[in-house]
Amino acid sequence: MKSKRSKKKKMREFAKLRSYEYNRERNGLKNLDLSLKYMRDEHQINYTFLMIMLFCYDLEFWTADYVAEQLNRSSKKVKELFIYPAMHRDLVYKHFDRLSPGKMTHEEHLFYEESKMSYRVRYALTQKARLLIQKFYTMLED
């Protein structure tokens, strides 16, 4: 497709499209590569770490099984490759780590699906991780 712009502009390095020629809302990922490189170089957060953190950003807490199911990954791999290393770096913490679910009525205990032996730990992102995600979003928007 030949450009409809004037010949004076052909010596420029770039020329922006007019606002009606593209959808501004779909231009949000323009700085994705720079943002990913920044997170990798400055904070040592690789792509997989970042994708899981982005998924968990709007969750108050979550289990490894839930994240693994939603992201179509193995629960064991999520724990080994994300949760435990992230806990070492203070990006994830155990939100609920009790074997007993807490103060429940007798009826709630009867119908509660998880027993003491099958209780899954609930994890959450730390404030440090949330601030990194906010920084990532800010870099995408700029």
Side-chain angles (χ1 to χ4, degrees), residues 3-142:
S3 176
K4 296 177 184 176
R5 302 247 176 166
S6 71
K7 300 294 180 193
K8 296 176 191 173
K9 295 181 181 180
K10 75 178 188 179
M11 298 306 286
R12 291 183 179 182
E13 290 286 325
F14 69 94
K16 289 199 173 229
L17 289 172
R18 292 177 216 112
S19 61
Y20 63 85
E21 293 178 326
Y22 72 98
N23 188 347
R24 287 183 190 202
E25 296 166 4
R26 292 190 179 162
N27 205 23
L29 298 178
K30 189 173 188 171
N31 296 324
L32 179 63
D33 187 51
L34 294 174
S35 302
L36 288 172
K37 286 178 183 174
Y38 171 81
M39 295 302 274
R40 183 191 67 212
D41 296 341
E42 297 296 320
H43 300 289
Q44 291 73 42
I45 295 176
N46 64 20
Y47 174 78
T48 306
F49 252 60
L50 188 61
M51 292 305 116
I52 295 174
M53 286 171 53
L54 287 169
F55 178 78
C56 296
Y57 182 68
D58 65 337
L59 302 174
E60 181 181 352
F61 59 87
W62 36 269
T63 63
D65 293 337
Y66 173 75
V67 171
E69 181 183 328
Q70 295 298 314
L71 297 177
N72 200 20
R73 298 176 193 270
S74 160
S75 176
K76 186 177 178 182
K77 291 290 183 186
V78 167
K79 288 177 185 175
E80 289 175 0
L81 300 178
F82 172 68
I83 293 177
Y84 301 142
M87 288 177 75
H88 259 294
R89 297 175 54 192
D90 295 326
L91 298 173
V92 171
Y93 70 98
K94 291 181 179 180
H95 195 65
F96 295 116
D97 188 23
R98 287 182 253 147
L99 290 178
S100 61
K103 295 180 181 177
M104 298 174 105
T105 64
H106 183 65
E107 292 82 20
E108 288 173 333
H109 270 292
L110 286 176
F111 296 107
Y112 195 65
E113 290 181 18
E114 293 179 320
S115 66
K116 272 191 168 188
M117 302 312 279
S118 70
Y119 185 76
R120 291 182 294 276
V121 176
R122 272 62 176 170
Y123 300 97
L125 292 177
T126 63
Q127 185 65 20
K128 177 181 174 182
R130 292 189 181 282
L131 291 173
L132 285 173
I133 296 299
Q134 288 176 1
K135 174 76 173 167
F136 179 77
Y137 279 128
T138 303
M139 291 182 71
L140 283 177
E141 293 170 357
D142 288 344

